[in-house]
Amino acid sequence: MVHRDSDSRIAVVLLYLNNLEDSVEGGELIVYDDLVKRRKYKPIPNKNDLFTLYKIEPKAGRLVIFLNTANAYHSVDQMTFSKKGRHFIYGGYTT
């Protein structure tokens, strides 16, 4: 589900701990931009109002940090054919 984190979260941190098996489909972190510039952004937007900026593949040791702005929309692609799963450490700086 495409969303942004709570307004009190300032930054988001993900550290991926393992590589996915070759047979896995999905599992990428997807970062979006909003096609409709507005004064107030919804926590869960209409996906038709967005376009994909980046797809970030989970790889062991990969660190992802992003600011949780009002339009920091992201989701994770559904993962299929995985036996080990995707392991990561999640953190955030919240006020």
Side-chain angles (χ1 to χ4, degrees):
M1 172 178 57
V2 179
H3 68 284
R4 65 174 170 84
D5 290 354
S6 73
D7 289 337
S8 62
R9 181 148 303 128
I10 295 173
V12 177
V13 178
L14 290 165
L15 175 61
Y16 293 104
L17 301 176
N18 67 317
N19 291 316
L20 299 179
E21 303 103 300
D22 291 336
S23 62
V24 172
E25 294 179 11
E28 297 94 358
L29 174 67
I30 306 170
V31 179
Y32 300 92
D33 195 6
D34 197 338
L35 292 169
V36 181
K37 302 303 177 196
R38 49 186 111 229
R39 289 181 180 204
K40 186 163 174 94
Y41 291 92
K42 299 176 185 177
I44 300 174
N46 181 335
K47 195 169 180 181
N48 294 329
D49 292 342
L50 305 174
F51 69 93
T52 301
L53 280 176
Y54 307 103
K55 282 193 171 190
I56 301 169
E57 183 182 346
K59 289 187 175 184
R62 177 167 282 165
L63 179 66
V64 178
I65 302 172
F66 62 92
L67 292 177
N68 184 47
T69 58
N71 63 342
Y73 295 123
H74 57 282
S75 69
V76 175
D77 234 359
Q78 182 177 354
M79 200 166 65
T80 56
F81 308 114
S82 176
K83 293 183 175 134
K84 297 188 306 184
R86 183 185 62 234
H87 301 282
F88 59 91
I89 296 172
Y90 170 85
Y93 179 72
T94 304
T95 59

